[in-house]
Amino acid sequence: MAVAVETTRIERLRRAFLRHRPEICIARAVLITESYNETEDCPAVLRRAHAFHRIMEKMPIYIEDDELIVGNIASRPRSAPIYPEYSAQWILDQMDTFATRGGDKLFIAEEDKIILREVLPCWVGRTVQDRIMRRLPAETKQAMDLGAFSSYNMITGGVGHFIPGYERVLQKGFGGIRAEIEAQLARVDPSAADGIEKSWFYQAALICCDAVSLFANRYADLASRMAQETSDHRRRAELLQLAEVCAWVPQNPPRSFHEALQSFWFVHLLPYIEANGLAVSPGRFDQYMLPFLQRDVESGTLDSADALELLECLWVKFPNIIKLYNNEAALSFGGFPTNSCITLGGQTAEGEDATNDLSYLCLQATADTRLPDPSIAVRLHRFSPDQFVQKACEVIRLGTGMPKVFNDEVIVPALLNRRYDLEDARNYGIVGCVEPSVGGKTYGWCNAAYFNLAKCFELAIHDGVCPRTGVAYGVRTGGAEDLTSIGDVLTAYQRQVSHFVDLLTGCINLTDLAHREAAPLPLSSCLFDACIEKGVDLNGGGARYNFTGPQGVGTANVADSLAAIQHLVFEEHVLSMRELLQALADNFDGHETLHRKMLLKTPKFGNDDPAVDHLARLAGSIYSRCVESHGNPRGGIFQPGLYPVTANIPLGAVVGALPDGRVAGEALADGVSPVAGRDAKGPTAVMKSVARLEHIRASNGTLLNLKFSPSVVASATGLGKLVKLLRGYIALGGWHVQFNVIEAQTLREAQKNPDQYRDLLVRVAGYSAFFVELDQAVQDDIIRRTTHLL
Amino acid sequence: MKEVLSGYIFNVQHFSIHDGPGIRTLIHLKGCSLRCSWCCNPESQITGPELGWRRPRCIACGRCETVCPEQCIHLQGDRVIIDRERCTLCARCVQTCPTEALVMFGTQMTVDEVVALVSKDAPFYAEDGGVTVSGGEPCLQPEFAAAILQRCAMHGFTTAVETAGHVPWPTMEMVVRDADFVLYDLKHLDPGQHRLHTGSDNQLVLENLTRIDQMGKGIWLRFPLVPGVNDDAENIAQLAEVAQSLQHLRQVDILPYHQLGSNKYAYLGRCYPAADIRQPSDEELRAVKVQLERSGINVSIGG
């Protein structure tokens, strides 16, 4: 009986969510503008705090039917607030197309547009973006325009990409945090050099704490009001309970699992209201929430079915946090991703297996709700229990692309190499896509930029001159005659990478300083122990661990190109370097035979060929070494990652034909995955090749996408084989792997472009086969079957 | 100097997960003693190398014609015509072909080379994965097959043989001896029907099966379910009887007939003999599974 009731509630909430039309919410834009107009002479950190307080006080709130967990970042479900302090002009320019554009359509009311046209112009010229763009050196702008790197994420928006210290709030409540801040403020010596600045920071933090309790109390009041108004007795009881919960948390430490979940959700919302940084992530939810679950289960007040229902009430809240992307980004980041990532399993701070009952419940909640957020990461290590790996595989098999899998055996040492304490290293969670961070301690600027390795390679074989535009903006590393060995090519590549990494780090540090200056984060800082201890804002370097993480894109293209040059020019002498450059200039027109030879008969990364895998390792590590030698203004260092999200598409558009056979403009390889379709030996070969990269140095994370139809492992024994595949990958030392959903659309795409999908493994009847090698009729049949499955 | 043992292989399949326990590497030896009409690997049947022309990849550039020393390959319109009587399998055309439309099915490999390929996936084998020496009929190259199995066993990989059973017992024993278990094909239980559809009767097949069982090897019976050929209730009942009689049966895999290999007949210039056979429906597969399970047999569809 109880079971039927639960499914209904979650299903109703799920359906209600799916019915909501994504919209723009202008409340935040209006409130922050009002507040800023009143605080012009305030220090930035106090100005931000006052604005945050105003938003928390005035932002419209709501509670939906059936909800047991409440709170949102905007005035309606699935609505995107506006953050004019980061960038404003493009919103004015593009607002009329939000509802009609190709991807991520957002409804915006005509009367709201009128208000935005009044409010936004006062920000133009003063935003974080404007400050940065005015200050960027011409050389840097040129490099960005010509596609050497892109760092617009943090130029146009908030930083995000951290795991708040949820535990601080769960242990002390915001009341406890407030008391700590007051004590610190009382200790500040106003005559000290940094005394004034510290006291400003603490005052701002106190305003934020007050704003938070105000916000929660508004929900408590609303719930009480709604309880009086409803005629449904059951709902009345729920609303009265909600009122009690919201009156208690996050101000105080939770007394029940329900209160802990509500407290968690309030904390999770706050950084998304304060700033529009993406990927603010829950981290190790199954660790810090477990005591509350255990307490209720032991006292008999909660059984695991009720716990699951509450958990799923929370899960369906996540995808309500959406972001307004500009039209260009909306095309490439379709689906309104915020990338809130929950991390499960892994090790305790003492190094023992940390998997617990809640880890399983969370996986179950994801399997039941099947929504795009929260994204789920599982941490595996040598001693992860089989049962947990199996449960993860069961969810993977559902084909949602979740959970993604991470390898403690590589990530913990990588963090130690970045000077984390051992306990902290073992306590990492995943932020965004693949970036390890420690909750309440790391401010990693994880998605700081995308760096075009393929462009650097192109410049390296063209003496620093961009063949597409003719602009000589790279280092003059020598022409075709000067490249007489693969060592020469690698040296030229290294010099180009080094030059552009210098420009990139300068650009990001300038961005970093603009955030410190114009967009302090007093609320988020309350969630970091060290910020409060030191009296320094998160953007000012207050966190315990500070990093900046720019991603290299196109590792496999560089590797395959190096292999092709080595094979065709220096070993087989099929053609000279000059002839090769001519073929590239012609985009292989008139060089069809050579082109096919490049595609089919030169070694490719992703096929378990140690020689070309070694070149891939070099291609990545040359970048990693350049990046890690730089420091940031927050007192931390740069740490490289190797993953593109979807930047491999725009960064590929500006790169001409490459010696690996890639034609001009084509997307670059995705993550550290092989170039699409160039791996032809199945997933074990891909994993071995990828594991050969220097993941430990690419400590901001590397990403492997496997195109692997979950139906390949449909049977019970198939599940066991997926477990073994993952165990093998862990043993080999990969960083991350996720299994892509194969949809009918992908298969149709594969029919049209078989060369790019040579690796696509599908299950047919009792067999697995590479899709593109099947007859058209069989392919059509599989497409029909796939459509039926979904 | 000791002679280097080698043999003909037509395919190496990594990450095979439907042919025996664990993650396996399948080594397909070329050459088969049966000629099943539904065979999905026609390139497996003849022992030596064979030249194939994959029409969908061909751009009719004519380069093959110009390099052929025997002048036995010709371009007619957009078709490549191979005079297979005169072709010496020198492979010049294959090396020249820019699109890999021309392909040599069958490569000669040494035992060392094969074992090196199998070892590549060692990190994924865990306790139950390993090598499966398959065919064609692996027992047609018995020394080669046995050597691969022995060497792989020394690496600690589990070893399996997939056989159709139609070889003299002493040969069969030599290969099976070194396998941890055997994937054993049974095509039809009726001798006449067996002869009709595979070219030979099943007496030897059934005798060898009993002998392997007596050796104590774990057996995975593999039954290709071909509608209109071997899917009648009586045949399934007899299959159940044979399966029940085995002391060391692990499971029966029903392998649904499919047409994935149909295009390969054309590559080899042959006709597809099973063109009018249809694929079994999900209901038919389930019905056979249920019928077998009633006899207490462990059954899997597709392995």
Side-chain angles (χ1 to χ4, degrees):
Chain A
M1 189 62 211
V3 174
V5 174
E6 287 152 19
T7 10
T8 321
R9 183 197 298 274
I10 299 306
E11 198 44 41
R12 282 199 304 267
L13 284 169
R14 226 181 138 260
R15 284 186 198 150
F17 165 77
L18 293 170
R19 270 198 308 273
H20 288 304
R21 169 184 61 177
E23 294 178 23
I24 297 283
C25 169
I26 63 160
R28 188 187 181 283
V30 172
L31 293 167
I32 193 174
T33 309
E34 259 176 39
S35 172
Y36 262 57
N37 285 339
E38 294 162 13
T39 56
E40 261 182 69
D41 56 351
C42 272
V45 69
L46 278 161
R47 210 171 180 195
R48 298 284 290 164
H50 285 303
F52 180 73
H53 192 279
R54 177 67 55 89
I55 297 164
M56 299 308 261
E57 185 187 356
K58 295 276 169 73
M59 176 185 125
I61 60 167
Y62 63 89
I63 295 173
E64 288 207 287
D65 289 347
D66 290 310
E67 284 194 322
L68 297 180
I69 301 293
V70 299
N72 219 321
I73 61 164
S75 52
R76 289 177 302 275
R78 257 196 134 183
S79 296
I82 286 176
Y83 306 78
E85 68 270 37
Y86 291 99
S87 54
Q89 185 61 50
W90 66 270
I91 303 176
L92 284 167
D93 295 342
Q94 299 184 353
M95 152 165 93
D96 283 326
T97 60
F98 288 160
T100 53
R101 62 190 188 184
D104 284 6
K105 293 182 176 59
L106 282 161
F107 174 78
I108 175 165
E110 283 307 316
E111 58 269 30
D112 287 350
K113 284 189 197 167
I114 294 169
I115 298 173
L116 283 182
R117 286 195 189 100
E118 283 169 19
V119 164
L120 292 181
C122 43
W123 292 94
V124 173
R126 303 173 178 191
T127 64
V128 170
Q129 180 183 21
D130 295 320
R131 287 164 199 259
I132 297 164
M133 294 316 286
R134 274 199 299 270
R135 297 168 192 173
L136 276 180
E139 190 185 9
T140 306
K141 275 188 183 158
Q142 183 190 42
M144 287 169 85
D145 289 344
L146 296 177
F149 55 83
S150 159
S151 62
Y152 285 106
N153 261 349
M154 283 159 188
I155 292 180
T156 59
V159 177
H161 293 89
F162 61 83
I163 300 170
Y166 300 92
E167 282 153 294
R168 275 174 69 74
V169 182
L170 294 171
Q171 281 160 12
K172 304 171 187 170
F174 257 93
I177 293 174
R178 195 185 195 288
E180 257 178 30
I181 298 168
E182 273 186 321
Q184 291 285 1
L185 179 58
R187 278 202 292 273
V188 170
D189 173 4
S191 67
D194 57 358
I196 301 296
E197 218 177 339
K198 276 189 181 180
S199 68
W200 285 344
F201 169 77
Y202 286 129
Q203 285 164 28
L206 287 176
I207 294 170
C208 290
C209 290
D210 292 342
V212 171
S213 69
L214 184 67
F215 187 60
N217 280 321
R218 288 178 64 205
Y219 278 96
D221 293 345
L222 177 62
S224 307
R225 240 182 6 256
M226 288 173 69
Q228 283 160 21
E229 286 159 13
T230 182
S231 55
D232 178 341
H233 295 285
R234 231 170 102 180
R235 185 59 181 156
R236 178 176 305 148
E238 286 171 6
L239 284 164
L240 287 173
Q241 196 192 345
L242 259 178
E244 204 185 312
V245 168
C246 294
W248 187 259
V249 293
Q251 187 64 14
N252 303 293
R255 298 164 299 190
S256 66
F257 187 55
H258 187 183
E259 285 186 349
L261 291 172
Q262 181 62 58
S263 185
F264 161 84
W265 183 243
F266 275 134
V267 175
H268 188 67
L269 294 175
L270 302 173
Y272 281 108
I273 297 174
E274 182 179 44
N276 69 342
L278 289 171
V280 175
S281 293
R284 306 192 73 188
F285 185 89
D286 63 342
Q287 304 303 307
Y288 56 75
M289 296 299 280
L290 181 71
F292 301 97
L293 175 67
Q294 279 175 332
R295 208 162 61 191
D296 282 9
V297 170
E298 277 160 21
S299 69
T301 51
L302 193 73
D303 63 22
S304 67
D306 294 335
L308 184 61
E309 184 192 29
L310 283 170
L311 205 56
E312 292 179 357
C313 281
L314 171 64
W315 253 232
V316 298
K317 293 295 285 177
F318 275 90
N320 281 297
I321 301 181
I322 62 170
K323 175 177 160 105
L324 165 63
Y325 285 98
N326 65 33
N327 289 353
E328 296 73 39
L331 280 179
S332 36
F333 299 102
F336 305 102
T338 45
N339 235 336
S340 259
C341 181
I342 288 178
T343 306
L344 305 173
Q347 302 166 53
T348 62
E350 293 72 37
E352 292 175 297
D353 179 60
T355 315
N356 61 47
D357 291 348
L358 189 51
S359 322
Y360 292 92
L361 274 186
C362 290
L363 283 173
Q364 191 56 48
T366 292
D368 291 344
T369 51
R370 297 201 202 190
L371 291 166
D373 269 317
S375 99
I376 302 287
V378 297
R379 283 176 47 178
L380 299 185
H381 55 90
R382 274 172 296 179
F383 302 110
S384 294
D386 262 343
Q387 198 194 345
F388 182 58
V389 188
Q390 278 165 19
K391 182 73 188 172
C393 288
E394 275 176 36
V395 181
I396 286 170
R397 214 161 54 160
L398 295 175
T400 59
M402 285 191 271
K404 42 193 179 181
V405 176
F406 290 85
N407 187 359
D408 281 6
E409 306 299 341
V410 171
I411 297 176
V412 172
L415 296 180
L416 290 175
N417 184 47
R418 297 298 176 214
R419 307 194 173 201
Y420 273 89
D421 292 341
L422 180 58
E423 286 74 16
D424 285 340
R426 286 171 174 158
N427 206 18
Y428 79 89
I430 293 297
V431 154
C433 298
V434 293
E435 308 94 289
S437 281
V438 177
K441 293 192 174 178
T442 307
Y443 191 41
W445 276 61
C446 302
N447 210 12
Y450 303 111
F451 184 87
N452 200 336
L453 298 173
K455 191 77 205 176
C456 290
F457 180 84
E458 187 182 40
L459 291 169
I461 56 173
H462 288 94
D463 194 19
V465 181
C466 171
R468 192 173 64 95
T469 57
V471 181
Y473 72 105
V475 187
R476 303 309 292 255
T477 43
E481 310 68 37
D482 302 309
L483 302 172
T484 57
S485 70
I486 203 68
D488 289 346
V489 179
L490 275 165
T491 305
Y493 167 70
Q494 194 276 336
R495 289 178 61 200
Q496 303 291 348
V497 169
S498 173
H499 170 70
F500 287 105
V501 164
D502 287 350
L503 290 184
L504 169 77
T505 53
C507 170
I508 304 177
N509 283 344
L510 196 147
T511 306
D512 205 320
L513 290 172
H515 279 271
R516 169 188 293 202
E517 164 191 295
L521 301 168
L523 176 275
S524 298
S525 300
C526 291
L527 304 169
F528 283 74
D529 284 323
C531 290
I532 299 304
E533 276 161 29
K534 291 189 236 169
V536 177
D537 185 78
L538 198 53
N539 273 339
R544 166 84 176 79
Y545 301 105
N546 283 289
F547 295 98
T548 307
Q551 287 31 278
V553 179
T555 314
N557 299 95
V558 176
D560 289 355
S561 294
L562 285 164
I565 292 178
Q566 184 163 32
H567 185 78
L568 297 173
V569 180
F570 299 125
E571 281 172 4
E572 305 274 315
H573 303 289
V574 173
L575 76 175
S576 70
M577 199 67 199
R578 182 152 297 288
E579 287 162 339
L580 173 68
L581 295 186
Q582 189 55 51
L584 300 181
D586 298 339
N587 199 20
F588 306 115
D589 282 346
H591 308 268
E592 281 74 20
T593 310
L594 173 69
H595 190 206
R596 289 196 192 89
K597 191 168 247 164
M598 284 169 165
L599 287 173
L600 294 172
K601 302 198 174 169
T602 61
K604 304 290 181 199
F605 175 67
N607 293 292
D608 192 10
D609 172 344
V612 60
D613 295 350
H614 172 68
L615 294 173
R617 185 179 169 96
L618 286 178
S621 296
I622 283 172
Y623 170 69
S624 294
R625 283 173 177 277
C626 288
V627 168
E628 68 185 5
S629 66
H630 290 268
N632 67 28
R634 284 169 287 116
I637 62 160
F638 278 73
Q639 62 173 346
L642 295 171
Y643 65 89
V645 190
T646 51
N648 55 321
I649 299 164
L651 292 187
V654 296
V655 178
L658 289 177
D660 66 341
R662 176 192 156 284
V663 295
E666 207 171 79
L668 301 176
D670 150 42
V672 288
S673 315
V675 177
R678 306 283 160 80
D679 56 311
K681 298 209 170 140
T684 52
V686 173
M687 285 178 156
K688 282 191 71 187
S689 287
V690 169
R692 288 198 177 99
L693 301 177
E694 199 179 15
H695 298 277
I696 193 166
R697 202 182 284 279
S699 50
N700 198 43
T702 70
L703 185 148
L704 170 61
N705 265 317
L706 273 189
K707 284 202 236 41
F708 193 88
S709 161
S711 61
V712 169
V713 288
S715 67
T717 50
L719 188 75
K721 296 176 190 191
L722 187 53
V723 169
K724 288 183 179 108
L725 186 69
L726 284 179
R727 291 256 191 226
Y729 189 56
I730 299 301
L732 284 168
W735 181 280
H736 152 276
V737 62
Q738 64 194 18
F739 297 86
N740 268 11
V741 195
I742 306 298
E743 292 170 352
Q745 199 190 339
T746 314
L747 298 176
R748 283 194 205 101
E749 199 56 36
Q751 273 187 321
K752 274 185 251 157
N753 305 304
D755 280 350
Q756 291 183 23
Y757 290 90
R758 274 167 63 186
D759 57 336
L760 180 57
L761 197 60
V762 292
R763 187 171 164 93
V764 202
Y767 303 83
S768 294
F770 287 113
F771 181 77
V772 299
E773 302 202 338
L774 301 174
D775 249 15
Q776 164 119 30
V778 183
Q779 291 182 346
D780 289 342
D781 183 52
I782 296 170
I783 291 175
R784 276 192 299 276
R785 280 165 191 256
T786 310
T787 321
H788 283 301
L789 280 175
L790 295 171
Chain B
M1 210 174 94
K2 203 180 143 198
E3 195 191 339
V4 179
L5 191 52
S6 67
Y8 281 102
I9 282 172
F10 74 91
N11 191 17
V12 175
Q13 196 187 337
H14 294 283
F15 191 60
S16 163
I17 54 173
H18 311 305
D19 304 275
I23 293 173
R24 314 197 68 78
T25 300
L26 246 67
I27 306 296
H28 289 278
L29 270 55
K30 207 164 175 315
C32 190
S33 48
L34 298 178
R35 289 291 180 272
C36 306
S37 56
W38 57 80
C39 181
C40 66
N41 289 325
E43 78 278 27
S44 73
Q45 295 172 353
I46 296 170
T47 303
E50 280 173 282
L51 181 60
W53 172 61
R54 299 187 282 195
R55 188 175 185 181
R57 298 187 186 211
C58 183
I59 51 169
C61 65
R63 283 192 180 81
C64 46
E65 200 172 50
T66 48
V67 297
C68 180
E70 311 295 327
Q71 277 119 49
C72 66
I73 189 161
H74 297 287
L75 191 66
Q76 286 183 5
D78 62 349
R79 296 185 68 88
V80 167
I81 308 293
I82 303 160
D83 183 347
R84 292 177 187 274
E85 299 281 297
R86 288 175 40 235
C87 171
T88 61
L89 301 169
C90 71
R92 297 274 278 279
C93 57
V94 174
Q95 289 148 16
T96 309
C97 179
T99 61
E100 295 184 336
L102 285 164
V103 60
M104 196 60 77
F105 291 114
T107 323
Q108 193 167 15
M109 291 179 81
T110 65
V111 173
D112 282 349
E113 286 169 335
V114 173
V115 172
L117 279 178
V118 174
S119 301
K120 274 182 170 268
D121 276 358
F124 302 98
Y125 291 153
E127 68 286 350
D128 59 353
V131 69
T132 302
V133 177
S134 180
E137 172 52 65
C139 300
L140 292 190
Q141 302 182 58
E143 294 85 2
F144 183 52
I148 294 170
L149 291 165
Q150 281 167 16
R151 289 277 306 281
C152 286
M154 284 159 66
H155 278 77
F157 312 147
T158 70
T159 52
V161 171
E162 181 172 33
T163 173
H166 190 73
V167 281
W169 174 246
T171 312
M172 171 115 273
E173 190 199 10
M174 178 182 162
V175 177
V176 169
R177 207 171 42 203
D178 295 304
D180 294 322
F181 58 93
V182 180
L183 305 174
Y184 203 92
D185 293 8
L186 262 188
K187 323 280 191 187
H188 210 296
L189 280 301
D190 177 82
Q193 289 291 312
H194 198 281
R195 177 183 295 281
L196 179 66
H197 294 290
T198 72
S200 307
D201 73 23
N202 61 6
Q203 192 193 339
L204 187 54
V205 175
L206 291 171
E207 284 171 12
N208 283 343
L209 176 60
T210 310
R211 291 190 183 109
I212 290 172
D213 192 41
Q214 284 163 357
M215 288 173 83
K217 301 283 177 189
I219 294 173
W220 299 48
L221 274 188
R222 315 205 94 199
F223 177 67
L225 187 75
V226 188
V229 172
N230 63 6
D231 63 338
D232 54 289
E234 197 194 328
N235 194 41
I236 306 296
Q238 285 184 34
L239 172 67
E241 214 172 288
V242 170
Q244 276 179 307
S245 74
L246 297 171
Q247 301 291 308
H248 304 285
L249 180 76
R250 300 276 175 78
Q251 67 179 53
V252 175
D253 293 338
I254 304 171
L255 309 179
Y257 165 73
H258 62 78
Q259 299 175 338
L260 304 191
S262 58
N263 48 354
K264 289 192 272 187
Y265 283 87
Y267 297 168
L268 295 163
R270 296 187 215 158
C271 287
Y272 184 44
D276 43 2
I277 299 180
R278 62 174 177 81
Q279 300 185 23
S281 67
D282 289 351
E283 292 72 44
E284 286 170 314
L285 284 167
R286 262 197 302 276
V288 173
K289 183 167 191 270
V290 168
Q291 193 187 341
L292 289 171
E293 280 171 343
R294 247 184 257 130
S295 312
I297 300 164
N298 197 4
V299 183
S300 136
I301 294 175

